[in-house]
Amino acid sequence: MARFWVCAAAAVFSLAFLILHSCYCGPPMLRSFVFVNRWTPEKPLYRLDLDWPKYSEMFTGTPFCVAVDSANGLVYVAQRGDNIPKILVLSEDGHLLRAWNYTVDTPHGMFAASTPYEQTVWITDVGSGSFGHTVKMYNSFGDLVQVLGTPGKKGTDLNPLQFDNPAELYIEDTGEIYIVDGDGGLNNRLLKLSPDFMMLWLHGESGTGPTHFNIPHSVTVDSAGRVWVADRGNKRIQMFDKVTGEWLGMWDDCFTEEGPSSVRFTADGKYVFFAQLNLSRLSFVAAPPAGSVGRCSVVSTIQLADQVSPHLVDVDRKTGAIYVAEIGAKQVQKYIPSSS
Ligand SMILES: *[C@@H]1O[C@H](CO)[C@@H](O)[C@H](O)[C@H]1NC(C)=O
Ligand SMILES: *[C@@H]1O[C@H](CO)[C@@H](O)[C@H](O)[C@H]1NC(C)=O
Protein backbone atom coordinates (compact mmCIF):
# COMPACT_ATOMS: atom_id res chain seq x y z
CA MET A 1 0.00 0.00 0.00
CA ALA A 2 2.76 2.44 0.92
CA ARG A 3 4.32 1.66 -2.41
CA PHE A 4 1.12 2.59 -4.21
CA TRP A 5 1.09 6.03 -2.58
CA VAL A 6 4.74 6.62 -3.45
CA CYS A 7 4.03 5.79 -7.09
CA ALA A 8 0.88 7.89 -7.18
CA ALA A 9 2.70 10.83 -5.63
CA ALA A 10 5.52 10.42 -8.12
CA ALA A 11 3.04 10.31 -11.01
CA VAL A 12 1.24 13.45 -9.85
CA PHE A 13 4.55 15.17 -9.30
CA SER A 14 5.85 14.19 -12.77
CA LEU A 15 2.64 15.36 -14.42
CA ALA A 16 2.79 18.68 -12.59
CA PHE A 17 6.42 19.03 -13.58
CA LEU A 18 5.67 18.35 -17.23
CA ILE A 19 2.82 20.87 -17.29
CA LEU A 20 4.83 23.53 -15.51
CA HIS A 21 7.85 22.71 -17.63
CA SER A 22 5.95 23.12 -20.88
CA CYS A 23 4.40 26.36 -19.60
CA TYR A 24 7.69 27.90 -18.66
CA CYS A 25 10.13 26.20 -20.98
CA GLY A 26 8.42 26.54 -24.35
CA PRO A 27 6.32 24.25 -26.54
CA PRO A 28 6.73 20.45 -26.41
CA MET A 29 8.58 20.34 -29.74
CA LEU A 30 11.31 22.64 -28.53
CA ARG A 31 11.55 20.68 -25.30
CA SER A 32 12.10 17.38 -27.04
CA PHE A 33 14.71 19.06 -29.24
CA VAL A 34 16.61 20.19 -26.16
CA PHE A 35 16.28 16.71 -24.70
CA VAL A 36 17.66 15.06 -27.83
CA ASN A 37 20.58 17.43 -27.90
CA ARG A 38 21.56 16.60 -24.33
CA TRP A 39 21.80 12.90 -25.04
CA THR A 40 23.59 12.89 -28.40
CA PRO A 41 27.16 14.10 -28.81
CA GLU A 42 26.16 15.76 -32.05
CA LYS A 43 25.52 19.47 -32.14
CA PRO A 44 24.40 20.87 -35.49
CA LEU A 45 27.26 22.65 -37.23
CA TYR A 46 25.05 24.30 -39.87
CA ARG A 47 21.55 25.63 -40.25
CA LEU A 48 19.45 26.08 -43.36
CA ASP A 49 19.30 29.63 -44.73
CA LEU A 50 15.58 29.99 -45.47
CA ASP A 51 16.24 33.31 -47.14
CA TRP A 52 18.26 31.79 -50.02
CA PRO A 53 17.50 31.91 -52.89
CA LYS A 54 15.12 34.87 -52.98
CA TYR A 55 12.80 33.08 -55.43
CA SER A 56 12.89 29.29 -55.60
CA GLU A 57 11.03 29.41 -58.96
CA MET A 58 14.33 30.39 -60.57
CA PHE A 59 15.22 26.67 -60.59
CA THR A 60 13.31 25.67 -63.72
CA GLY A 61 15.26 22.45 -64.27
CA THR A 62 17.21 19.95 -62.18
CA PRO A 63 20.29 21.50 -60.55
CA PHE A 64 23.18 19.01 -60.68
CA CYS A 65 25.98 21.16 -59.30
CA VAL A 66 26.88 24.46 -57.72
CA ALA A 67 30.11 26.46 -57.55
CA VAL A 68 31.00 29.42 -55.34
CA ASP A 69 33.32 32.26 -56.36
CA SER A 70 33.83 33.59 -52.84
CA ALA A 71 36.19 36.36 -53.96
CA ASN A 72 33.40 37.94 -55.98
CA GLY A 73 30.36 36.77 -54.00
CA LEU A 74 28.95 34.74 -56.91
CA VAL A 75 27.16 31.39 -56.86
CA TYR A 76 26.87 29.42 -60.10
CA VAL A 77 24.21 26.74 -60.52
CA ALA A 78 24.04 24.33 -63.46
CA GLN A 79 20.69 22.70 -64.17
CA ARG A 80 19.49 20.16 -66.70
CA GLY A 81 16.24 20.29 -68.63
CA ASP A 82 14.71 21.30 -71.97
CA ASN A 83 14.37 24.90 -73.14
CA ILE A 84 15.75 26.42 -69.98
CA PRO A 85 18.78 28.51 -69.13
CA LYS A 86 21.29 25.90 -67.97
CA ILE A 87 23.72 28.10 -66.05
CA LEU A 88 22.37 30.52 -63.45
CA VAL A 89 24.54 33.16 -61.79
CA LEU A 90 23.29 34.21 -58.37
CA SER A 91 24.55 36.63 -55.78
CA GLU A 92 25.57 35.35 -52.36
CA ASP A 93 22.33 36.76 -50.96
CA GLY A 94 20.21 34.81 -53.44
CA HIS A 95 19.35 37.19 -56.29
CA LEU A 96 19.48 35.91 -59.87
CA LEU A 97 21.97 38.07 -61.78
CA ARG A 98 22.07 36.40 -65.22
CA ALA A 99 21.81 33.06 -67.02
CA TRP A 100 22.90 31.31 -70.20
CA ASN A 101 22.68 28.00 -72.01
CA TYR A 102 24.82 28.63 -75.07
CA THR A 103 27.22 25.65 -75.70
CA VAL A 104 26.06 23.80 -72.56
CA ASP A 105 24.60 20.35 -73.17
CA THR A 106 24.34 18.26 -69.98
CA PRO A 107 26.23 19.81 -67.07
CA HIS A 108 27.52 17.51 -64.34
CA GLY A 109 30.20 19.21 -62.18
CA MET A 110 31.48 22.75 -61.74
CA PHE A 111 34.30 24.80 -60.28
CA ALA A 112 34.49 28.58 -59.93
CA ALA A 113 37.94 30.09 -60.27
CA SER A 114 38.99 33.71 -60.39
CA THR A 115 42.06 35.47 -61.61
CA PRO A 116 42.79 39.16 -61.11
CA TYR A 117 41.63 39.63 -64.71
CA GLU A 118 38.67 37.36 -65.03
CA GLN A 119 35.86 35.68 -63.12
CA THR A 120 35.55 32.19 -64.54
CA VAL A 121 33.55 29.03 -64.08
CA TRP A 122 34.50 25.57 -65.31
CA ILE A 123 31.81 23.04 -66.24
CA THR A 124 32.11 19.32 -66.96
CA ASP A 125 29.65 18.36 -69.68
CA VAL A 126 28.48 14.74 -69.96
CA GLY A 127 26.17 15.35 -72.91
CA SER A 128 26.36 13.20 -76.04
CA GLY A 129 25.53 16.16 -78.30
CA SER A 130 28.00 18.42 -80.05
CA PHE A 131 29.12 20.17 -76.83
CA GLY A 132 29.41 17.06 -74.66
CA HIS A 133 32.36 15.02 -73.35
CA THR A 134 34.22 18.19 -72.46
CA VAL A 135 35.53 20.27 -69.59
CA LYS A 136 34.89 23.93 -70.42
CA MET A 137 35.78 27.31 -68.99
CA TYR A 138 33.43 30.28 -69.31
CA ASN A 139 33.76 33.80 -68.12
CA SER A 140 31.12 34.98 -65.71
CA PHE A 141 28.96 36.26 -68.59
CA GLY A 142 28.83 32.95 -70.43
CA ASP A 143 31.50 33.45 -73.08
CA LEU A 144 33.27 30.18 -73.80
CA VAL A 145 36.98 30.73 -73.17
CA GLN A 146 38.59 27.26 -73.09
CA VAL A 147 37.59 23.71 -74.07
CA LEU A 148 39.38 20.52 -72.95
CA GLY A 149 38.45 17.25 -74.65
CA THR A 150 36.96 16.61 -78.08
CA PRO A 151 33.51 18.22 -78.23
CA GLY A 152 30.86 15.67 -79.14
CA LYS A 153 33.24 12.71 -79.04
CA LYS A 154 33.93 10.50 -76.07
CA GLY A 155 37.30 8.82 -75.79
CA THR A 156 40.17 7.55 -73.70
CA ASP A 157 43.08 9.37 -75.37
CA LEU A 158 45.50 11.52 -73.43
CA ASN A 159 46.97 13.36 -76.42
CA PRO A 160 44.81 15.06 -77.43
CA LEU A 161 42.92 14.76 -74.19
CA GLN A 162 39.51 13.06 -74.34
CA PHE A 163 36.85 12.40 -71.74
CA ASP A 164 33.76 10.28 -71.28
CA ASN A 165 31.33 11.64 -68.70
CA PRO A 166 33.85 13.89 -66.91
CA ALA A 167 32.38 14.18 -63.42
CA GLU A 168 34.03 17.11 -61.64
CA LEU A 169 37.19 19.18 -61.34
CA TYR A 170 39.11 21.20 -58.78
CA ILE A 171 41.51 24.04 -59.52
CA GLU A 172 44.12 25.33 -57.11
CA ASP A 173 44.92 29.01 -56.73
CA THR A 174 48.18 28.24 -58.56
CA GLY A 175 46.12 27.09 -61.58
CA GLU A 176 46.81 23.37 -61.30
CA ILE A 177 43.80 21.31 -62.35
CA TYR A 178 42.47 17.99 -61.02
CA ILE A 179 39.81 16.22 -63.08
CA VAL A 180 37.82 13.07 -62.24
CA ASP A 181 36.63 11.25 -65.37
CA GLY A 182 34.16 10.00 -64.88
CA ASP A 183 30.59 9.33 -64.14
CA GLY A 184 30.17 5.77 -65.43
CA GLY A 185 31.71 6.15 -68.91
CA LEU A 186 34.76 4.57 -70.55
CA ASN A 187 37.19 6.11 -68.08
CA ASN A 188 37.87 5.72 -64.39
CA ARG A 189 40.65 8.18 -63.82
CA LEU A 190 42.08 11.09 -61.90
CA LEU A 191 44.24 13.50 -63.90
CA LYS A 192 46.39 16.37 -62.76
CA LEU A 193 47.10 19.06 -65.35
CA SER A 194 49.41 22.06 -65.20
CA PRO A 195 47.92 25.57 -65.61
CA ASP A 196 48.73 25.29 -69.34
CA PHE A 197 46.92 21.93 -69.56
CA MET A 198 49.93 19.59 -69.70
CA MET A 199 49.54 16.22 -67.97
CA LEU A 200 51.44 16.11 -64.65
CA TRP A 201 50.27 12.73 -63.36
CA LEU A 202 47.42 10.30 -63.76
CA HIS A 203 45.74 7.32 -62.11
CA GLY A 204 43.74 5.61 -64.79
CA GLU A 205 42.88 2.08 -63.83
CA SER A 206 39.37 0.74 -63.29
CA GLY A 207 39.00 -1.64 -60.37
CA THR A 208 38.85 -1.95 -56.63
CA GLY A 209 42.52 -1.93 -55.59
CA PRO A 210 44.45 1.08 -54.25
CA THR A 211 44.51 3.93 -56.85
CA HIS A 212 41.85 2.18 -58.94
CA PHE A 213 38.45 3.78 -59.42
CA ASN A 214 34.83 2.92 -60.08
CA ILE A 215 33.01 6.19 -60.82
CA PRO A 216 35.37 8.82 -59.41
CA HIS A 217 32.63 11.42 -58.89
CA SER A 218 34.08 14.37 -56.97
CA VAL A 219 37.51 15.80 -56.15
CA THR A 220 38.98 18.38 -53.79
CA VAL A 221 42.41 19.39 -52.45
CA ASP A 222 43.19 20.29 -48.83
CA SER A 223 45.73 22.67 -47.30
CA ALA A 224 47.97 19.72 -46.33
CA GLY A 225 48.60 18.89 -50.00
CA ARG A 226 46.25 15.93 -50.26
CA VAL A 227 43.84 15.22 -53.11
CA TRP A 228 40.55 13.65 -51.97
CA VAL A 229 38.46 11.66 -54.43
CA ALA A 230 34.90 10.42 -53.87
CA ASP A 231 35.21 6.96 -55.46
CA ARG A 232 31.47 6.45 -55.48
CA GLY A 233 31.10 3.02 -57.07
CA ASN A 234 33.79 1.59 -54.77
CA LYS A 235 32.06 3.14 -51.74
CA ARG A 236 35.14 4.92 -50.50
CA ILE A 237 37.21 8.09 -50.50
CA GLN A 238 40.84 7.79 -51.68
CA MET A 239 43.59 10.28 -50.89
CA PHE A 240 46.69 11.15 -52.93
CA ASP A 241 49.74 13.37 -52.58
CA LYS A 242 49.02 16.34 -54.81
CA VAL A 243 52.64 16.74 -55.97
CA THR A 244 53.63 13.14 -56.69
CA GLY A 245 50.21 11.50 -57.07
CA GLU A 246 51.30 8.89 -54.51
CA TRP A 247 48.42 6.97 -52.87
CA LEU A 248 48.06 7.97 -49.22
CA GLY A 249 45.16 5.81 -48.14
CA MET A 250 41.41 5.47 -48.18
CA TRP A 251 38.29 5.63 -46.06
CA ASP A 252 35.69 2.95 -46.58
CA ASP A 253 34.26 2.32 -43.11
CA CYS A 254 31.80 5.25 -43.45
CA PHE A 255 30.29 3.94 -46.67
CA THR A 256 28.82 0.52 -45.97
CA GLU A 257 25.39 1.78 -47.09
CA GLU A 258 26.30 4.03 -50.01
CA GLY A 259 29.34 5.62 -51.61
CA PRO A 260 30.03 9.37 -51.52
CA SER A 261 28.81 11.55 -54.40
CA SER A 262 30.62 14.69 -53.28
CA VAL A 263 33.64 15.57 -51.13
CA ARG A 264 34.65 19.01 -49.76
CA PHE A 265 36.33 20.69 -46.79
CA THR A 266 34.60 23.21 -44.59
CA ALA A 267 35.94 26.74 -44.98
CA ASP A 268 37.75 26.62 -41.63
CA GLY A 269 39.48 23.38 -42.70
CA LYS A 270 38.27 21.60 -39.57
CA TYR A 271 36.07 19.03 -41.29
CA VAL A 272 35.99 17.03 -44.47
CA PHE A 273 32.40 16.29 -45.43
CA PHE A 274 30.63 14.23 -48.04
CA ALA A 275 27.18 13.83 -49.55
CA GLN A 276 25.36 10.54 -50.02
CA LEU A 277 22.79 10.80 -52.76
CA ASN A 278 20.22 8.14 -51.93
CA LEU A 279 20.60 8.53 -48.17
CA SER A 280 19.98 12.28 -48.63
CA ARG A 281 22.65 13.01 -46.08
CA LEU A 282 25.74 15.16 -45.51
CA SER A 283 28.30 13.78 -43.03
CA PHE A 284 31.18 15.62 -41.36
CA VAL A 285 34.44 14.01 -40.25
CA ALA A 286 37.27 15.79 -38.38
CA ALA A 287 39.95 16.58 -40.95
CA PRO A 288 43.04 14.47 -40.22
CA PRO A 289 46.28 16.34 -39.59
CA ALA A 290 48.98 16.47 -42.27
CA GLY A 291 50.90 13.24 -42.62
CA SER A 292 48.06 10.90 -41.72
CA VAL A 293 44.68 10.12 -43.25
CA GLY A 294 43.32 8.73 -39.99
CA ARG A 295 39.94 7.07 -39.83
CA CYS A 296 36.52 7.98 -41.09
CA SER A 297 34.47 8.75 -38.00
CA VAL A 298 31.38 10.89 -38.53
CA VAL A 299 30.97 13.61 -35.88
CA SER A 300 27.96 15.44 -37.32
CA THR A 301 25.36 15.01 -40.06
CA ILE A 302 22.76 17.02 -41.91
CA GLN A 303 19.90 14.65 -42.66
CA LEU A 304 17.85 16.02 -45.54
CA ALA A 305 14.30 14.86 -46.25
CA ASP A 306 13.86 11.56 -48.08
CA GLN A 307 14.37 11.81 -51.88
CA VAL A 308 16.07 15.22 -51.72
CA SER A 309 19.17 13.55 -53.23
CA PRO A 310 22.18 15.85 -52.73
CA HIS A 311 24.44 15.39 -55.77
CA LEU A 312 27.34 17.83 -55.63
CA VAL A 313 28.09 20.60 -53.13
CA ASP A 314 30.41 23.58 -52.77
CA VAL A 315 31.71 25.81 -50.00
CA ASP A 316 32.04 29.57 -49.76
CA ARG A 317 35.60 29.93 -48.51
CA LYS A 318 34.87 33.42 -47.10
CA THR A 319 31.54 33.01 -45.30
CA GLY A 320 31.74 29.27 -44.67
CA ALA A 321 28.33 28.67 -46.27
CA ILE A 322 27.66 25.29 -47.88
CA TYR A 323 25.55 25.09 -51.05
CA VAL A 324 23.90 21.77 -51.93
CA ALA A 325 22.63 20.87 -55.42
CA GLU A 326 19.65 18.56 -54.86
CA ILE A 327 18.55 16.57 -57.89
CA GLY A 328 15.51 15.05 -56.16
CA ALA A 329 14.19 18.31 -54.67
CA LYS A 330 15.21 20.17 -57.87
CA GLN A 331 16.76 23.07 -55.98
CA VAL A 332 19.96 24.38 -54.44
CA GLN A 333 19.93 25.06 -50.72
CA LYS A 334 22.32 27.11 -48.62
CA TYR A 335 23.51 26.09 -45.14
CA ILE A 336 25.32 28.57 -42.92
CA PRO A 337 27.55 27.87 -39.92
CA SER A 338 25.42 27.75 -36.75
CA SER A 339 27.90 30.03 -35.03
CA SER A 340 27.29 32.85 -37.52
C1 LIG B 1 18.01 28.69 -73.59
O1 LIG B 1 17.36 29.48 -72.59
C2 LIG B 1 16.27 30.24 -73.07
C3 LIG B 1 15.72 31.04 -71.91
O2 LIG B 1 16.74 31.74 -71.28
C4 LIG B 1 15.21 29.32 -73.64
O3 LIG B 1 14.16 30.09 -74.19
C5 LIG B 1 15.82 28.44 -74.71
O4 LIG B 1 14.86 27.51 -75.16
C6 LIG B 1 17.01 27.69 -74.15
N1 LIG B 1 17.63 26.89 -75.20
C7 LIG B 1 17.84 25.58 -75.03
C8 LIG B 1 18.51 24.91 -76.18
O5 LIG B 1 17.58 24.99 -74.03
C1 LIG C 1 20.53 5.36 -55.87
O1 LIG C 1 19.39 4.57 -56.11
C2 LIG C 1 19.11 4.35 -57.48
C3 LIG C 1 17.77 3.66 -57.57
O2 LIG C 1 17.69 2.60 -56.66
C4 LIG C 1 20.25 3.57 -58.10
O3 LIG C 1 20.01 3.35 -59.47
C5 LIG C 1 21.53 4.36 -57.93
O4 LIG C 1 22.61 3.61 -58.40
C6 LIG C 1 21.76 4.71 -56.48
N1 LIG C 1 22.89 5.64 -56.41
C7 LIG C 1 23.91 5.44 -55.61
C8 LIG C 1 24.96 6.49 -55.64
O5 LIG C 1 24.01 4.48 -54.87
Side-chain angles (χ1 to χ4, degrees):
M1 198 60 184
R3 220 158 129 187
F4 168 80
W5 284 113
V6 170
C7 283
V12 167
F13 181 79
S14 306
L15 194 62
F17 174 77
L18 276 178
I19 290 166
L20 284 174
H21 190 69
S22 62
C23 290
Y24 291 102
C25 306
M29 240 175 70
L30 186 60
R31 223 173 53 226
S32 66
F33 175 74
V34 170
F35 181 77
V36 165
N37 245 6
R38 248 182 60 198
W39 290 100
T40 59
E42 173 179 324
K43 248 188 169 172
L45 296 172
Y46 291 84
R47 62 189 160 86
L48 182 61
D49 182 350
L50 292 168
D51 211 29
W52 198 100
K54 294 297 178 200
Y55 311 100
S56 55
E57 309 85 67
M58 72 178 68
F59 303 125
T60 47
T62 305
F64 267 71
C65 52
V66 56
V68 188
D69 174 351
S70 55
N72 297 291
L74 298 176
V75 181
Y76 296 88
V77 172
Q79 52 176 10
R80 296 187 193 170
D82 294 326
N83 305 316
I84 56 164
K86 299 228 170 103
I87 310 300
L88 310 176
V89 189
L90 282 78
S91 64
E92 238 170 26
D93 56 3
H95 290 286
L96 181 63
L97 304 176
R98 49 190 177 268
W100 77 83
N101 53 18
Y102 173 69
T103 72
V104 183
D105 185 337
T106 310
H108 186 277
M110 251 181 166
F111 189 88
S114 277
T115 69
Y117 320 102
E118 210 171 24
Q119 301 166 6
T120 60
V121 63
W122 286 81
I123 296 164
T124 70
D125 197 323
V126 299
S128 50
S130 52
F131 304 119
H133 304 299
T134 51
V135 179
K136 293 175 279 201
M137 183 180 85
Y138 295 83
N139 69 20
S140 167
F141 292 92
D143 300 316
L144 184 56
V145 179
Q146 183 71 48
V147 179
L148 305 180
T150 321
K153 197 157 179 286
K154 64 183 170 191
T156 60
D157 284 0
L158 291 175
N159 194 8
L161 199 50
Q162 288 187 310
F163 303 105
D164 186 10
N165 284 359
E168 203 190 44
L169 77 163
Y170 183 94
I171 304 177
E172 289 190 88
D173 291 340
T174 52
E176 271 132 343
I177 305 169
Y178 303 80
I179 300 173
V180 277
D181 172 35
D183 186 34
L186 296 167
N187 303 321
N188 277 298
R189 57 192 188 181
L190 164 67
L191 307 96
K192 179 174 183 180
L193 307 181
S194 66
D196 53 354
F197 316 121
M198 304 303 289
M199 175 81 60
L200 295 177
W201 53 256
L202 154 86
H203 288 294
E205 224 175 303
S206 306
T208 57
T211 77
H212 302 168
F213 295 111
N214 176 13
I215 310 187
H217 197 264
S218 178
V219 59
T220 195
V221 178
D222 70 13
S223 56
R226 296 173 294 208
V227 186
W228 296 67
V229 176
D231 186 9
R232 193 178 81 179
N234 280 331
K235 296 187 176 179
R236 64 184 180 182
I237 288 175
Q238 297 195 74
M239 305 79 161
F240 303 87
D241 182 289
K242 77 172 186 183
V243 177
T244 61
E246 180 199 352
W247 188 78
L248 299 177
M250 66 176 187
W251 284 352
D252 56 7
D253 33 351
C254 284
F255 304 104
T256 48
E257 287 174 277
E258 186 190 15
S261 59
S262 182
V263 62
R264 285 289 184 277
F265 279 76
T266 56
D268 58 13
K270 282 189 189 159
Y271 301 95
V272 53
F273 69 103
F274 50 84
Q276 284 162 299
L277 189 76
N278 287 345
L279 291 171
S280 289
R281 188 186 296 159
L282 306 183
S283 299
F284 298 78
V285 177
S292 104
V293 297
R295 285 177 52 83
C296 184
S297 172
V298 172
V299 295
S300 185
T301 57
I302 299 176
Q303 182 61 58
L304 307 168
D306 204 20
Q307 317 270 314
V308 161
S309 306
H311 184 243
L312 289 169
V313 307
D314 204 17
V315 172
D316 187 322
R317 285 200 267 173
K318 250 189 203 162
T319 67
I322 293 175
Y323 295 84
V324 185
E326 304 169 347
I327 59 180
K330 295 189 192 303
Q331 63 183 3
V332 174
Q333 294 205 99
K334 177 182 183 180
Y335 286 84
I336 48 183
S338 302
S339 50
S340 70

